[in-house]
Amino acid sequence: MPTLTAVKKKPAARLGRPAPELIFGDLWVFDPAPETADPKLKSRYELFIDGQFVPPKSGKYFDSINPANERKLTAIALAGPVDVDLAYAAAQRAYNTTWGKMPGRERAKYLYRVARLLQDRAREFAVAETLDGGKPIKESRDFDVPMAAAHFFYHAGWADKLDYVAPGRRVTPLGVVGQVIPWNFPLLMCAWKLAPALAMGNTVVLKPAETTSITALKLAEIFQDAGLPPGVVNFVTGAGEVGAAVMNHPTPVKVAFTGSTEVGKIIMRSLAGSDKKMTMELGGKAANIVFDDAPLDQAVEGIVNGIFFNQGHVCCAGSRLLVQEGVADAVLAKLKNRLRVLRVGDPIDKNTDVGAINSREQLEKIRELVDAGVKEGAEMFQAPCRLPTKGFYFRPTLFSGVSMSHRIAREEIFGPVLSILTFRTVDEAIEKANNTAYGLSAGVWTDKGSRILKMSTELKAGVVWANTYNKFDPTSPFGGYKESGFGREGGRQGLLDYCKLV
Ligand code: NAP
Ligand code: MG
């Protein structure tokens, strides 16, 4: 538990620091607890091509800002088509001359080294991730960075055992792969994409999201320190056009994309007719389903974790709550109480539960959908916390009285907004949960094991959590149904997406 200080003590004045913005209900003010690790940011980040940091041919850079206070953190190189060509040429060379030919047991040594170096610099990476993306430090410190290292460890373990990926068949690498990732888990998505591709012997050109490129470029420093052969991983930074150039380039034999369904469709249209392999990890509108025999307090914690964790910037966020009618009022009352004490504010403060929205653009999108919810007649409740005056923040928000036709029940909001619907029977719960274009994840809360098995069979979702939510492990495949995409990341299944079976 964080330390509580009685409000009359004025701790900020006593410590000579600015007054803390965050109030715990109306009872206590918390002492600020900023992280002190130096994120060791450079004033400018170049492209990472052929093992070297190189300036972009255009000479252009763009700013990466801290969404918690709108201050510039650093400048990032803007890649153009020539840089993307150079990155792919380096990846092809590395595939032909070193990485593609290297025995798996040798590749494993590099992946282990990367994982260990990431652990060594974990605190620095966590602070950089939080400053650049706005997520609470306790999430980047306790989840993103350790989980990224775990993915490199796990796939290092596979690299010398690839004969067991598809028993009875031999596997070979595909060649050069192009990858594009979003801003909600910048380092973790790098690890999800890179570790299986590299373990299998492929080489990569990857584009991070425009607003969160820093930790990818710090990971490039680790690749240099680990002695990874030049060209095995190349990072090109910039906005959507650079992503399109990476996906549409003639060199890669496979492309892997994580991002919105909208952009995923654009990419699929532009690659239709080509023989490129594809993996698409797209949007979601997950249902958390609470039955009347569920342990309600535990369920409420799971619901809060499922949608307010990382400001709702989670593809598998439990953004719809389906609650059985008999317990709907009790669950709503408990949720409101929980929202009253959520701490929203400076992400670098280790007590913060809900940090900053990643960008002004994303904040506007959340506001638009929340306004639509109010206009369409749903009843809104917002956490009564004080928000910082600078930076991009949104109050954790609940909507009750939501019907399936409301936009807030159908569209991905990608913010800390929960839409609550009710149901009476198991079949109604399944029908409502599946009545969406997406199918990435779902949660079931009940005392009955048989009901969990029925629900997990009938819910059209890639992951179904039972009596928990948002649990991840590199050994478990993750991926979607329907418009949430195809292909799996993690586990043996994830490796199968990066190899040829011969
Ligand atoms: P996004 O707008 O689709 O962007 C994702 C990435 O694609 C970014 O790097 C983006 O560059 C780039 N991009 C934009 N236009 C492109 C184009 N025409 N061709 C190729 N690349 C292009 O998604 P986002 O807003 O960053 O991320 C949120 C979305 O990701 C949500 O829908 C979420 O559900 C989904 N997501 C899914 C998973 C999963 O595993 N299924 C995991 C995480 C997130 P810029 O950054 O410069 O725009
Ligand atoms: Mg940023």
Side-chain angles (χ1 to χ4, degrees), residues 63-67 73 131-133 210-214 358:
D63 290 347
S64 202
I65 64 152
N66 179 348
L73 289 169
L131 292 180
D132 200 20
E210 182 187 5
T211 55
T212 54
S213 302
I214 292 178
N358 183 261

Side-chain angles (χ1 to χ4, degrees), residues 181 183-184 207 210 239 243 257-260 281-283 315 412 414:
I181 58 170
W183 43 259
N184 58 343
K207 187 198 93 73
E210 182 187 5
F257 173 77
T258 297
S260 59
E281 299 285 356
L282 309 175
C315 50
E412 185 179 42
F414 225 56

Side-chain angles (χ1 to χ4, degrees), residues 467-480:
N467 294 327
T468 187
Y469 206 81
N470 268 341
K471 292 280 177 263
F472 292 90
D473 190 288
T475 63
S476 301
F478 183 87

Side-chain angles (χ1 to χ4, degrees), residues 180-185 189 192-193 207-212 238-248 257-264 266-267 270 280-284 313-316 361-362 365 412 414 438 440 478-480 484-485 489:
V180 172
I181 58 170
W183 43 259
N184 58 343
F185 291 92
M189 287 297 128
W192 275 31
K193 290 259 176 297
K207 187 198 93 73
E210 182 187 5
T211 55
T212 54
E241 306 81 68
V242 184
V246 168
M247 296 279 104
N248 295 326
F257 173 77
T258 297
S260 59
T261 295
E262 190 189 347
V263 173
I266 296 174
I267 295 169
S270 66
M280 292 278 150
E281 299 285 356
L282 309 175
H313 293 343
V314 185
C315 50
C316 49
E361 195 188 355
Q362 185 59 25
K365 198 177 141 198
E412 185 179 42
F414 225 56
Y438 298 108
L440 196 56
F478 183 87
S484 291
E489 292 187 317

Side-chain angles (χ1 to χ4, degrees), residues 434-500:
N434 285 341
N435 185 352
T436 163
Y438 298 108
L440 196 56
S441 57
V444 179
W445 300 83
T446 175
D447 199 29
K448 288 195 182 60
S450 56
R451 193 180 275 162
I452 290 171
L453 293 175
K454 178 178 167 66
M455 298 295 289
S456 55
T457 311
E458 301 210 6
L459 289 170
K460 294 286 169 272
V463 183
V464 179
W465 285 290
N467 294 327
T468 187
Y469 206 81
N470 268 341
K471 292 280 177 263
F472 292 90
D473 190 288
T475 63
S476 301
F478 183 87
Y481 272 68
K482 303 194 276 185
E483 292 198 11
S484 291
F486 48 84
R488 292 291 178 265
E489 292 187 317
R492 193 178 66 82
Q493 291 82 350
L495 281 159
L496 283 169
D497 279 326
Y498 281 99
C499 65
K500 264 194 298 248

